Amino acid sequence: MAGKKVCIVGSGNWGSAIAKIVGGNVTQLARFDPRVSMWVFEEEVSGQKLTEIINTKHENVKYLPGHKLPPNVFIGKICDQLKGHLKGDAIGVSLIKGVDEGPDGLKLISEVIQERLDIPISVLMGANIANEVADEKFCETTIGCKDLAQGQLLKELLQTPNFRITVVQEVDTVEICGALKNVVAVGAGFCDGLGFGDNTKAAVIRLGLMEMIAFSKLFCKGPVSSATFLESCGVADLITTCYGGRNRKVAEAFARTGKSIEQLEKEMLNGQKLQGPQTARELHSILKHKGLVDKFPLFTAVYQVCYEGHPVQKFIQCLQNHPEHM
């Protein structure tokens, strides 16, 4: 019986790190086809197509330099024509930490993919900084999958001795964690840029986690259990993002330099975008619509600093006046 074919859509640093894992695993597992396809947005690097560089040198020199991708990972130009070219029993897993704009203000990326491709979509979220995953430093991650059999298949495809996976069925909760923690990380970056210490940052992380749980219960379809927030997708991803992620890094520079978020993105992110401020705007739209802005002072403060010109120096007031302290 032919092995299941694997395709990775996207080739940034995270997509390339996952390609390294998947490319290594499929050669050891009979149930998967040993050739992995990768779809990439075509760019030129030093006058040469990025696809050609990866196909010949097996390295994504722009987004994950210094890491060889297994030679069974090939690239086709990304396009809008995936739909109609998938087998009827195809399944997908989204590794995108962010949200899309929907008619009600916020839509999960997995929902968008599922609607457009008409296939079941699981999610993978965790404390997974791409370069550390590619360096094979030990970490954990979480797969959210309603169908546990599919979840186990994805775990088999993606797990390694240093990339350990737990499968849970609360898909929406797992995914919303991956988006909400970026907002909290912006707050953590403000604290760093303003010169506050680790105690203050710990308060941002704790109060941010409380708001993440409260918002998830408000937003997610189906059950939301506190146990899911103890998985890698929850508290672990929140911690690593508040200490090491790009949202924290740019927010610190914003508080320190006074430059705009847009300017700092261009200077610091090599073509990548911040999710935190945009997610804060989407959250604010929903909370305002539901009359719940006052219940989420940390999320609201991040939005106000990023979009309404509130001085970043006043960010600390959202901690001092948090409902948990009243």
Side-chain angles (χ1 to χ4, degrees), residues 6 21-30 32-36 72 157:
V6 181
I21 287 176
V22 170
N25 279 355
V26 294
T27 60
Q28 311 297 318
L29 300 166
F32 295 102
D33 187 310
R35 174 177 163 169
V36 177
N72 53 319
L157 174 66

Side-chain angles (χ1 to χ4, degrees), residues 10 16 21 32 64 66 68 70 90 145 148 165 199 212 218 228 234 242 267 270 284 315:
S16 297
I21 287 176
F32 295 102
L64 195 71
K68 290 292 182 184
C145 183
L148 286 178
I165 296 172
N199 292 345
M212 285 171 62
L218 181 73
T228 301
C242 286
E267 291 177 9
N270 190 30
H284 188 73
F315 174 73

Side-chain angles (χ1 to χ4, degrees), residues 4-228:
K4 294 181 182 297
K5 292 183 177 178
V6 181
C7 176
I8 295 165
V9 181
S11 60
N13 61 343
W14 187 212
S16 297
I18 287 296
K20 186 178 179 184
I21 287 176
V22 170
N25 279 355
V26 294
T27 60
Q28 311 297 318
L29 300 166
R31 66 194 299 180
F32 295 102
D33 187 310
R35 174 177 163 169
V36 177
S37 301
M38 180 188 262
W39 294 48
V40 61
F41 180 77
E42 187 68 276
E43 299 178 74
E44 285 207 354
V45 179
S46 303
Q48 190 177 5
K49 287 182 178 179
L50 185 57
T51 49
E52 291 173 358
I53 294 171
I54 298 177
N55 275 342
T56 54
K57 296 185 179 178
H58 304 294
E59 181 181 351
N60 189 331
V61 294
K62 179 168 184 181
Y63 294 112
L64 195 71
H67 288 281
K68 290 292 182 184
L69 301 180
N72 53 319
V73 178
F74 288 89
I75 295 183
K77 189 176 181 181
I78 198 163
C79 70
D80 297 328
Q81 297 175 350
L82 274 172
K83 187 170 175 61
H85 294 274
L86 300 174
K87 290 187 175 178
D89 60 350
I91 63 171
V93 56
S94 170
L95 287 77
I96 301 167
K97 294 178 178 178
V99 289
D100 195 21
E101 293 187 43
D104 299 320
L106 184 150
K107 194 165 192 176
L108 298 175
I109 298 293
S110 64
E111 282 186 287
V112 176
I113 299 170
Q114 195 157 315
E115 285 173 6
R116 292 188 181 179
L117 298 184
D118 197 26
I119 62 171
I121 299 291
S122 301
V123 298
L124 183 150
M125 304 282 154
N128 308 139
I129 292 173
N131 288 60
E132 294 182 16
V133 174
D135 283 335
E136 298 178 25
K137 293 175 179 173
F138 181 86
C139 69
E140 301 173 311
T141 199
T142 312
I143 288 178
C145 183
K146 291 188 175 97
D147 183 321
L148 286 178
Q150 287 181 9
Q152 288 305 313
L153 178 70
L154 292 168
K155 179 175 179 175
E156 186 179 350
L157 174 66
L158 291 158
Q159 183 163 268
T160 73
N162 286 319
F163 190 64
R164 309 308 292 180
I165 296 172
T166 301
V167 179
V168 302
Q169 289 180 287
E170 288 183 16
V171 182
D172 287 0
T173 308
V174 171
E175 185 169 9
I176 200 70
C177 281
L180 298 183
K181 54 95 185 181
N182 288 324
V183 180
V184 184
V186 172
F190 290 162
C191 284
D192 290 341
L194 293 168
F196 292 109
D198 286 338
N199 292 345
T200 309
K201 195 150 140 182
V204 168
I205 292 170
R206 188 190 78 81
L207 292 169
L209 179 62
M210 299 304 288
E211 291 192 17
M212 285 171 62
I213 294 171
F215 186 87
S216 297
K217 288 180 176 175
L218 181 73
F219 172 80
C220 292
K221 304 178 190 80
V224 174
S225 63
S226 297
T228 301

Side-chain angles (χ1 to χ4, degrees), residues 177-295:
C177 281
L180 298 183
K181 54 95 185 181
N182 288 324
V183 180
V184 184
V186 172
F190 290 162
C191 284
D192 290 341
L194 293 168
F196 292 109
D198 286 338
N199 292 345
T200 309
K201 195 150 140 182
V204 168
I205 292 170
R206 188 190 78 81
L207 292 169
L209 179 62
M210 299 304 288
E211 291 192 17
M212 285 171 62
I213 294 171
F215 186 87
S216 297
K217 288 180 176 175
L218 181 73
F219 172 80
C220 292
K221 304 178 190 80
V224 174
S225 63
S226 297
T228 301
F229 291 88
L230 297 178
E231 298 291 349
S232 184
C233 63
V235 67
D237 196 12
L238 178 61
I239 291 168
T240 197
T241 308
C242 286
Y243 278 91
R246 76 182 83 143
N247 288 278
R248 186 219 64 81
K249 182 180 172 185
V250 173
E252 178 187 13
F254 174 86
R256 206 167 12 85
T257 67
K259 293 179 180 178
S260 71
I261 294 284
E262 293 78 15
Q263 187 178 351
L264 291 166
E265 277 182 334
K266 288 175 187 169
E267 291 177 9
M268 300 172 70
L269 295 186
N270 190 30
Q272 294 177 308
K273 289 287 184 185
L274 281 192
Q275 302 104 326
Q278 181 185 332
T279 303
R281 187 178 63 192
E282 294 298 327
L283 297 182
H284 188 73
S285 172
I286 289 176
L287 294 173
K288 192 173 178 183
H289 179 70
K290 293 181 180 287
L292 293 170
V293 168
D294 293 344
K295 302 285 186 186

